[in-house]
Amino acid sequence: MKYARGNTCKNCRHFIHDTYNNCSNCGMSCDIKRFNFTLFFKDFIVNLDIGFDRLFVQTFKCLTLTKDPGRNIREFIYGNHYKLYEPMKFLLIVGTLTTIITVYYDVFIIADEAPPSFFFEGTSFSSIEKIYSEYFMDFWKLANAYSTVINILSTPIFAFFTYCFFRSKTFSFNYVEILILNIYIVSIQLFAIFLFVPILHFFPENKGEIISIYIFTTMMYNIWVFICFFSHIRMIKRIIVSVISICFGYIGTFFCMHLLFLFLKELQLLSFL
């Protein structure tokens, strides 16, 4: 399936003569194909010229300093590539930088973590408390230590539930297009860590509260982009479906993370992490 051909290049906005099959300025085809897995990874591998240029900075502006970031992502999916940086390269750069920052500053690791004592007060479940300490604490430590990596790897999971809940016969996006949407969202969520690191530096005693604010803020951003992107749906339905799909995304991520933890524990690989 191809999108409609026009007289203006959707990639660079250069005028294209009706007899041309490609843009004379950037070389992009006049017939823009819909994203699929083949095209998605082909563009990433062929155009793997990672760098900080005007488009990279402009992407942050178009996804944050605007009232409708979802529209900009939707236009990118439709073929207007002049506003946003290529999604996989964008996530690769932001993800690498934030992973270095979070590991160096131990952003998501809270010292002296302990199981909630209120759950066991007045009970005789000492064996349950022991299991919790030995099993769940190891699980949460792994999740906190590699939180940034988990956020990146969970993108296809969130995309899957977004695709399932927002799928529509009249205004349908395929899974790869929804994956692109979620890649941009995750990239901005990761970038937000840079804004919270200085706060954590000056207020280390309030680390737990600051991380909670970060999580809440990024979730609100996710909902906001969904509301803007799926503009064809009634507002109240957009909000409800956005919240549901995000919740299922977190549940799916927790489930997959739990399976990975069991796998690593069974192979006794946790000590290497």
Side-chain angles (χ1 to χ4, degrees):
M1 179 177 180
K2 298 183 179 181
Y3 294 118
R5 176 178 175 177
N7 292 326
T8 302
C9 176
K10 291 186 176 183
N11 186 51
C12 67
R13 287 186 164 183
H14 186 73
F15 176 78
I16 303 176
H17 194 274
D18 290 337
T19 59
Y20 290 177
N21 293 321
N22 297 83
C23 174
S24 59
N25 184 50
C26 69
M28 190 170 186
S29 174
C30 297
D31 295 317
I32 309 299
K33 296 181 180 180
R34 290 191 64 172
F35 279 101
N36 54 43
F37 280 108
T38 302
L39 182 62
F40 180 68
F41 288 107
K42 180 180 178 180
D43 286 348
F44 172 66
I45 296 175
V46 173
N47 302 313
L48 194 59
D49 50 341
I50 296 176
F52 299 93
D53 54 18
R54 178 194 60 82
L55 189 58
F56 184 84
V57 177
Q58 181 175 295
T59 301
F60 285 106
K61 179 181 178 181
C62 291
L63 297 182
T64 56
L65 303 178
T66 176
K67 65 179 181 180
D68 197 351
R71 184 187 63 182
N72 293 325
I73 299 175
R74 192 170 61 244
E75 289 179 352
F76 177 89
I77 293 174
Y78 285 152
N80 302 340
H81 298 169
Y82 63 91
K83 284 185 178 180
L84 302 181
Y85 205 74
E86 201 276 333
M88 281 293 289
K89 292 192 293 184
F90 190 63
L91 179 61
L92 180 62
I93 295 175
V94 176
T96 300
L97 294 177
T98 52
T99 299
I100 295 173
I101 292 295
T102 53
V103 171
Y104 183 79
Y105 286 100
D106 293 331
V107 172
F108 292 102
I109 299 178
I110 301 177
D112 301 325
E113 290 177 308
S117 58
F118 65 84
F119 182 80
F120 303 104
E121 287 180 357
T123 68
S124 58
F125 297 123
S126 58
S127 59
I128 295 179
E129 185 173 2
K130 182 178 180 180
I131 294 174
Y132 183 95
S133 300
E134 295 180 353
Y135 182 82
F136 285 97
M137 287 302 292
D138 289 340
F139 171 77
W140 286 117
K141 286 180 179 178
L142 178 67
N144 290 335
Y146 295 93
S147 180
T148 303
V149 178
I150 293 172
N151 286 339
I152 296 173
L153 296 180
S154 66
T155 306
I157 300 175
F158 278 86
F160 171 76
F161 288 107
T162 306
Y163 173 75
C164 291
F165 284 102
F166 279 101
R167 191 175 183 182
S168 171
K169 293 181 179 180
T170 58
F171 198 71
S172 179
F173 292 94
N174 61 42
Y175 174 77
V176 176
E177 292 166 340
I178 296 299
L179 178 62
I180 292 173
L181 166 66
N182 281 269
I183 286 176
Y184 280 123
I185 292 174
V186 170
S187 298
I188 296 301
Q189 289 175 330
L190 293 176
F191 177 76
I193 294 176
F194 288 97
L195 304 178
F196 282 84
V197 167
I199 303 176
L200 290 170
H201 178 75
F202 289 106
F203 302 97
E205 67 278 3
N206 302 112
K207 191 173 187 179
E209 292 80 1
I210 295 173
I211 292 177
S212 298
I213 294 174
Y214 164 78
I215 294 174
F216 176 79
T217 303
T218 53
M219 287 182 64
M220 290 301 101
Y221 174 79
N222 198 335
I223 295 174
W224 175 38
V225 176
F226 279 178
I227 291 174
C228 297
F229 185 86
F230 298 101
S231 58
H232 63 291
I233 303 176
R234 290 181 302 172
M235 176 61 73
I236 186 63
K237 184 177 180 180
R238 272 183 278 171
I239 296 175
I240 295 174
V241 176
S242 296
V243 173
I244 293 175
S245 65
I246 293 172
C247 289
F248 270 86
Y250 279 109
I251 294 172
T253 300
F254 176 83
F255 179 75
C256 293
M257 179 62 191
H258 185 70
L259 292 179
L260 177 62
F261 175 78
L262 291 175
F263 175 76
L264 296 175
K265 190 176 181 66
E266 183 68 24
L267 297 180
Q268 298 180 352
L269 297 175
L270 292 176
S271 58
F272 296 98
L273 301 177

